[in-house]
Amino acid sequence: MTIRFDNRVAIVTGAGNGLGRAHALLLASRGARVVVNDPGGAVDGKGGDHAAADKVVAEIKAAGGQAVPNYDSVADPKSAANIVKTAVDSFGTVDIVVNNAGVLRDKTFHNMTTEDFDFVVKVHFLGTAYVTHAAWPILRAKAYGRVVVTSSNSGIYGTFGQANYGGAKLAVVGFMNALRLEGQKYNIMINALAPVAATRMTESLMTPEVLDKFRPEFVSPMVAWLCSEQCQRTGDIWSAGAGTFARIEYREAEGVRIAGRAPTIEDVADNIEKIADVSAGRVFRTSGEEVAAVVGS
């Protein structure tokens, strides 16, 4: 099977470098018309330069593809909406949204300013919501859409010094879980990517030898599949890095039910090992499924 994106229009945010650039190049190489969004700021989000987006657009065009640049920030609702407007003005519609834009302002929580916390959350979480919200009416009206949100193992498993980043990266999973249910009847599939790649945001964390194994282009095939018509999966978290791909899921222990009376603190203490035992864990696809299981257990 050959996966192509002819006649599809894709938005890739944060596409001037790293993962976003790799995603944009791959989608364009398979026929997608791409909006390359990037304000061109530093890793911490400060500053701006059109050159980052322009360079990727030039690469795509040189290879025979179609692309236009956009320099708006995802962190502002009006600017985020203008990213979608760029797609509509340039190519007539939007089919694919890859929410990839990100910044880092790492510090231990007790040294982190509220400004640094707010800005990282605004870019990663609210920026994802703003861009997707602007595209959502178009996707619903045409009964077709593929949306990718970018999570991280920092949010799923935790990383020291990244309370702002990790919190935002797990927030996009909750966002995805709701939109999965809202989008299904409109053929809108939304999935979360948890990538591990050598980018400006990770280069200080890895040795050169390790970085070479985690090239961004090793992640992009998963993103491209999630953006394809062939993808009928929705609401999943996908790990990708160094050529390894895997699905991540949350499991809930079978637990312990205290029946016939009000439970006490001591009931929890006496049964904590059974409560925590996930060896017979269950997987739920909606909050309602979990509530039904708890009530019926």
Side-chain angles (χ1 to χ4, degrees), residues 35-293:
V35 175
V36 177
N37 160 260
D38 204 304
V43 173
D44 63 3
K46 296 176 181 178
D49 186 351
H50 290 184
D54 288 344
K55 183 178 178 181
V56 177
V57 169
E59 287 184 79
I60 291 172
K61 288 183 175 180
Q66 299 182 63
V68 294
N70 174 278
Y71 317 110
D72 288 288
S73 170
V74 301
D76 174 78
K78 290 183 179 179
S79 294
N82 197 54
I83 299 170
V84 176
K85 184 176 184 298
T86 298
V88 174
D89 289 348
S90 302
F91 301 124
T93 190
V94 60
D95 303 285
I96 296 162
V97 179
V98 179
N99 293 288
N100 170 78
V103 295
L104 283 182
R105 293 187 179 181
D106 292 355
K107 286 183 181 178
T108 54
F109 190 55
H110 76 282
N111 287 323
M112 187 180 293
T113 65
T114 54
E115 178 187 359
D116 285 343
F117 194 98
D118 290 350
F119 184 68
V120 169
V121 170
K122 187 172 287 188
V123 172
H124 287 276
F125 177 41
L126 294 181
T128 293
Y130 294 155
V131 175
T132 305
H133 186 263
W136 199 254
I138 300 170
L139 304 181
R140 275 178 45 118
K142 69 195 303 180
Y144 182 87
R146 298 293 182 267
V147 179
V148 175
V149 303
T150 303
S151 184
S152 171
N153 58 14
S154 292
I156 296 166
Y157 303 117
T159 299
F160 184 92
Q162 289 192 327
N164 49 4
Y165 179 79
K169 285 306 192 183
L170 200 53
V172 301
V173 174
F175 174 74
M176 172 197 71
N177 287 336
L179 291 196
R180 169 180 68 86
L181 301 174
E182 296 182 26
Q184 269 187 307
K185 71 176 182 179
Y186 298 100
N187 190 26
I188 303 172
M189 308 298 166
I190 178 169
N191 287 275
L193 176 76
V196 182
T199 69
R200 294 189 304 167
M201 294 171 64
T202 60
E203 63 184 5
S204 64
L205 306 176
M206 304 177 186
T207 66
E209 293 76 18
V210 173
L211 287 170
D212 186 58
K213 296 179 182 179
F214 285 92
R215 284 181 277 172
E217 56 266 34
F218 291 173
V219 171
S220 296
M222 173 58 78
V223 174
W225 181 76
L226 294 173
C227 293
S228 69
E229 295 179 31
Q230 289 83 352
C231 176
Q232 295 298 310
R233 300 196 65 117
T234 189
D236 286 317
I237 309 168
W238 303 93
S239 172
T244 298
F245 306 97
R247 186 172 68 88
I248 298 170
E249 69 179 14
Y250 292 111
R251 304 186 68 80
E252 184 168 323
E254 187 174 352
V256 171
R257 186 179 186 188
I258 308 300
R261 59 178 175 81
T264 66
I265 303 172
E266 288 73 25
D267 288 326
V268 175
D270 292 343
N271 291 283
I272 194 63
E273 294 305 320
K274 291 182 180 179
I275 292 169
D277 181 8
V278 294
S279 60
R282 301 165 292 182
V283 178
F284 301 112
R285 291 292 286 169
T286 69
S287 59
E289 287 182 9
E290 195 240 12
V291 170

